[in-house]
C-alpha cells in the first residue's frame, strides 16, 4: 500500500478534488468501468475519495466500494503495474477531454455554488412519484419515464443524484433491474443481452400467472371435481405430477389465500385451489373478503365476469380474450421501459425517447 501511495503525488491525483462535479462525472462516465474507477479511488486521499465517489450513482458506487473493500481487506491482489497503467490512462483521458472541450480544468479552486441546481433537484424529487409498471397504464408509464429522463439529462452536475432519485422510486423488480443495468458500467451488447433476457423471463412469469388465474375463472363457469382442477393448474409447472399432489394435499390447509402479483406462482396456484374449495361451499360471497386485497386487475375483473349471470359461452370468450389483451399490453410495457432506459443510458434526446415509446401505440405523446 505504501508503494502505490506514491502514485497519488506522482500523478497529482488529488487535484481531482478541485474539479466541479460535472467534470468528474464526465471523466468517470461509463467509459471508465467500475474496476478502473476503483483503482484510481484507492489512491486518493480521504477527502478527494469522498468527493469523487459522490459523483457515482448508487449502483456504481456500491460496486466500486465492494472492489475497494476487497482490496483493502487483502481479498483482492492488484499489482503495482496495473495501478500505474491506470494512472497513465487517466492522464491521457483527461487531456483528451480537455482538448475536445468536454471539460475545463481550472487553475484555481472554483466556487461550485454557481453550478448549484439543488433547488431543481428537490423539485424533481418532490414531483416524481413511485413507479410500479404492473399498476400504471401506458400513458402514465410514458409520462413518468419522460420526467425521469429529462431531469437526468438536464440537471447540470447532478446526474448521479437524479439517477439515485429515479432508482429509489422504482418499486417493481423489472424496472429497477433494467434501470440499474442502464446506469451501471455495462457495455452496449451486455446491456442489450441482460435486458432482453430479463424481459423474456418476466413475460413468461406473468403469462404463467395469468394462465393460472384463467384456469380458476373458467373453473367457476364449468365446475369440475377438485382433482381435475388441480391437474389443470399443475399443467403450468414443469413437475406437474408433484405439483398436483401438493395442491390436493396442502391446498385445503392454506389459511389465508392471497392473489398478488409479487407472490411466487406456486403460492398463487395454492391460493386459487383454496379459493375454489371455499367458492364451492359458500359461493362468491364466501371469497369476497379474501380477494379484496388482490392487486391483479385480470383476477378481480375476471371474477366479476365469472360470477355474473351471463351466458357461459360469452363469459368464457371474454375471459380468454381479456387475457390475450392484457398479455399484449404487458409485453409492450416491458419494451417501453427498456427503450426508456436505453435512451437514458445513451443520453438520447427525450423527443426520440417519446417517439420510440409512442410507436407501440396509436397515440402521440408530447413533452
Amino acid at each position: 500500500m505504501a508503494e502505490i501511495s506514491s502514485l497519488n503525488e506522482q500523478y497529482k491525483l488529488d487535484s481531482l478534488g478541485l474539479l466541479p462535479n460535472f467534470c468528474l462525472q464526465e471523466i468517470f462516465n461509463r467509459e471508465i468501468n467500475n474496476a478502473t474507477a476503483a483503482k484510481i479511488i484507492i489512491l486518493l486521499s480521504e477527502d478527494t475519495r469522498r468527493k469523487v465517489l459522490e459523483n457515482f450513482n448508487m449502483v456504481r458506487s456500491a460496486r466500486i466500494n465492494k472492489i475497494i473493500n476487497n482490496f483493502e481487506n487483502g481479498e483482492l491482489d492488484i499489482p503495482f503495474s496495473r495501478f500505474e497503467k491506470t494512472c497513465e490512462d487517466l492522464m491521457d483521458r483527461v487531456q483528451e477531454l480537455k482538448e475536445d472541450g468536454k471539460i475545463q480544468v481550472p487553475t484555481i479552486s472554483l466556487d461550485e455554488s454557481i453550478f448549484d441546481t439543488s433547488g431543481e433537484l428537490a423539485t424533481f424529487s418532490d414531483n416524481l412519484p413511485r413507479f410500479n409498471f404492473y399498476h400504471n397504464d401506458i400513458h402514465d408509464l410514458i409520462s413518468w419515464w419522460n420526467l425521469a429522463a429529462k431531469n437526468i439529462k438536464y440537471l447540470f452536475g447532478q446526474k448521479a443524484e437524479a439517477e439515485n432519485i429515479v432508482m429509489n422510486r422504482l418499486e417493481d423488480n423489472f424496472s429497477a433491474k433494467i434501470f440499474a443495468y442502464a446506469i451501471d458500467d455495462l457495455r452496449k451488447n451486455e446491456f442489450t443481452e441482460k435486458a432482453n433476457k430479463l424481459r423474456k423471463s418476466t413475460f413468461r412469469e406473468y403469462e404463467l400467472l395469468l394462465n393460472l388465474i384463467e384456469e380458476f375463472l373458467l373453473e367457476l363457469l364449468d365446475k369440475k371435481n377438485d382433482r381435475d382442477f388441480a391437474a389443470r393448474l399443475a399443467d403450468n409447472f414443469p413437475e406437474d405430477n408433484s405439483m398436483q399432489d401438493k395442491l390436493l394435499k396442502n391446498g385445503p390447509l392454506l389459511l389465508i389465500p392471497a392473489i398478488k402479483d409479487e407472490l411466487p406462482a406456486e403460492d398463487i396456484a395454492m391460493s386459487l385451489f383454496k379459493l375454489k374449495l371455499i367458492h364451492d361451499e359458500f359461493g362468491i360471497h364466501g371469497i369476497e373478503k379474501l380477494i379484496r386485497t388482490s392487486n391483479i386487475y385480470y383476477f378481480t375483473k375476471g371474477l366479476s365476469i365469472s360470477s355474473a349471470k351471463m351466458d357461459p359461452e360469452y363469459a368464457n370468450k371474454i375471459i380468454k380474450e381479456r387475457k390475450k389483451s392484457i398479455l399484449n399490453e404487458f409485453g409492450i410495457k416491458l419494451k417501453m421501459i427498456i427503450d426508456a432506459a436505453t435512451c437514458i443510458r445513451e443520453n438520447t434526446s427525450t423527443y426520440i425517447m417519446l417517439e420510440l415509446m409512442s410507436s407501440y401505440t396509436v397515440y402521440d405523446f408530447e413533452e
Side-chain angles (χ1 to χ4, degrees):
M1 191 73 176
E3 185 182 12
I4 64 170
S5 63
S6 64
L7 294 173
N8 187 331
E9 184 176 350
Q10 179 182 343
Y11 290 95
K12 297 181 172 55
L13 297 179
D14 272 345
S15 62
L16 290 169
L18 300 175
L19 299 178
N21 290 338
F22 72 91
C23 287
L24 290 173
Q25 290 173 13
E26 184 64 39
I27 292 169
F28 291 99
N29 66 17
R30 193 172 55 250
E31 294 178 21
I32 298 292
N33 64 33
N34 296 333
T36 299
K39 289 199 285 287
I40 293 297
I41 294 170
I42 285 169
L43 302 174
L44 302 177
S45 66
E46 185 176 342
D47 288 344
T48 307
R49 177 185 289 198
R50 182 168 55 251
K51 178 172 182 179
V52 172
L53 276 171
E54 285 173 353
N55 284 280
F56 288 93
N57 60 57
M58 60 196 300
V59 174
R60 295 197 65 189
S61 181
R63 299 190 190 284
I64 290 167
N65 275 318
K66 184 176 180 180
I67 295 171
I68 294 172
N69 291 335
N70 287 343
F71 175 78
E72 294 180 342
N73 292 336
E75 299 172 20
L76 178 64
D77 180 46
I78 305 175
F80 178 84
S81 60
R82 287 177 62 186
F83 279 105
E84 192 170 36
K85 178 66 166 57
T86 299
C87 291
E88 292 171 356
D89 290 344
L90 178 68
M91 295 301 104
D92 291 341
R93 175 172 174 76
V94 171
Q95 184 60 34
E96 184 179 331
L97 290 172
K98 285 171 59 180
E99 292 174 355
D100 291 345
K102 293 182 178 179
I103 65 170
Q104 294 181 354
V105 180
T107 56
I108 59 172
S109 180
L110 289 177
D111 179 7
E112 291 199 42
S113 64
I114 62 175
F115 305 114
D116 184 22
T117 55
S118 57
E120 291 90 337
L121 189 70
T123 300
F124 171 49
S125 181
D126 291 342
N127 290 337
L128 189 71
R130 296 193 175 278
F131 178 82
N132 185 326
F133 87 93
Y134 288 93
H135 309 142
N136 288 92
D137 63 26
I138 285 178
H139 185 278
D140 289 342
L141 184 153
I142 293 176
S143 298
W144 193 95
W145 282 99
N146 182 51
L147 178 62
K150 283 197 299 186
N151 281 274
I152 289 173
K153 187 176 181 67
Y154 297 120
L155 277 173
F156 190 66
Q158 302 280 354
K159 183 177 181 181
E161 290 90 337
E163 289 173 342
N164 290 343
I165 289 171
V166 173
M167 191 76 224
N168 284 322
R169 296 295 194 278
L170 296 171
E171 293 191 332
D172 68 271
N173 185 59
F174 177 80
S175 300
K177 281 190 173 181
I178 290 295
F179 187 66
Y181 294 158
I183 63 175
D184 202 354
D185 66 344
L186 300 177
R187 298 305 179 193
K188 186 173 183 177
N189 62 328
E190 292 179 289
F191 170 76
T192 301
E193 183 180 344
K194 282 178 174 286
N196 284 328
K197 183 178 180 180
L198 182 61
R199 176 181 61 81
K200 291 175 183 177
S201 65
T202 302
F203 185 85
R204 285 196 300 269
E205 289 171 5
Y206 197 69
E207 185 177 29
L208 170 58
L209 172 66
L210 295 193
N211 286 343
L212 293 171
I213 292 173
E214 180 187 42
E215 290 293 356
F216 173 77
L217 297 175
L218 295 179
E219 170 65 20
L220 299 188
L221 296 175
D222 184 21
K223 293 182 175 61
K224 295 183 173 61
N225 63 55
D226 297 345
R227 181 167 290 278
D228 286 341
F229 180 52
R232 292 204 310 278
L233 289 177
D235 282 342
N236 292 281
F237 297 89
E239 302 294 332
D240 55 341
N241 290 331
S242 61
M243 187 61 195
Q244 182 181 1
D245 292 339
K246 285 182 184 178
L247 289 168
L248 292 169
K249 181 179 179 181
N250 300 324
L253 304 177
L254 187 65
L255 295 178
I256 304 177
I259 311 298
K260 296 185 177 182
D261 54 40
E262 63 266 26
L263 293 175
E266 284 198 12
D267 291 356
I268 295 288
M270 203 68 69
S271 291
L272 290 171
F273 188 78
K274 177 68 173 185
L275 288 173
K276 188 262 185 191
L277 298 179
I278 297 172
H279 188 276
D280 286 350
E281 186 172 355
F282 300 105
I284 186 65
H285 300 297
I287 65 173
E288 280 180 342
K289 290 184 178 179
L290 297 171
I291 63 174
R292 285 175 184 170
T293 59
S294 177
N295 58 7
I296 303 175
Y297 175 74
Y298 177 60
F299 176 69
T300 54
K301 181 64 178 178
L303 199 59
S304 67
I305 299 297
S306 293
S307 58
K309 294 180 179 179
M310 69 168 67
D311 187 322
E313 183 178 348
Y314 286 112
N316 185 295
K317 183 175 182 179
I318 291 170
I319 289 168
K320 289 182 176 180
E321 291 302 321
R322 188 173 289 274
K323 187 189 80 169
K324 292 179 185 177
S325 176
I326 291 173
L327 265 180
N328 181 60
E329 182 177 285
F330 187 83
I332 288 173
K333 286 182 176 181
L334 298 181
K335 292 177 181 178
M336 283 181 165
I337 291 169
I338 291 176
D339 281 346
T342 301
C343 288
I344 290 172
R345 179 184 184 277
E346 301 296 335
N347 199 30
T348 307
S349 76
T350 52
Y351 167 75
I352 291 176
M353 189 191 81
L354 282 174
E355 288 298 321
L356 268 175
M357 298 175 84
S358 298
S359 67
Y360 296 103
T361 75
V362 295
Y363 305 105
D364 285 327
F365 294 86
E366 299 179 355
E367 295 272 6

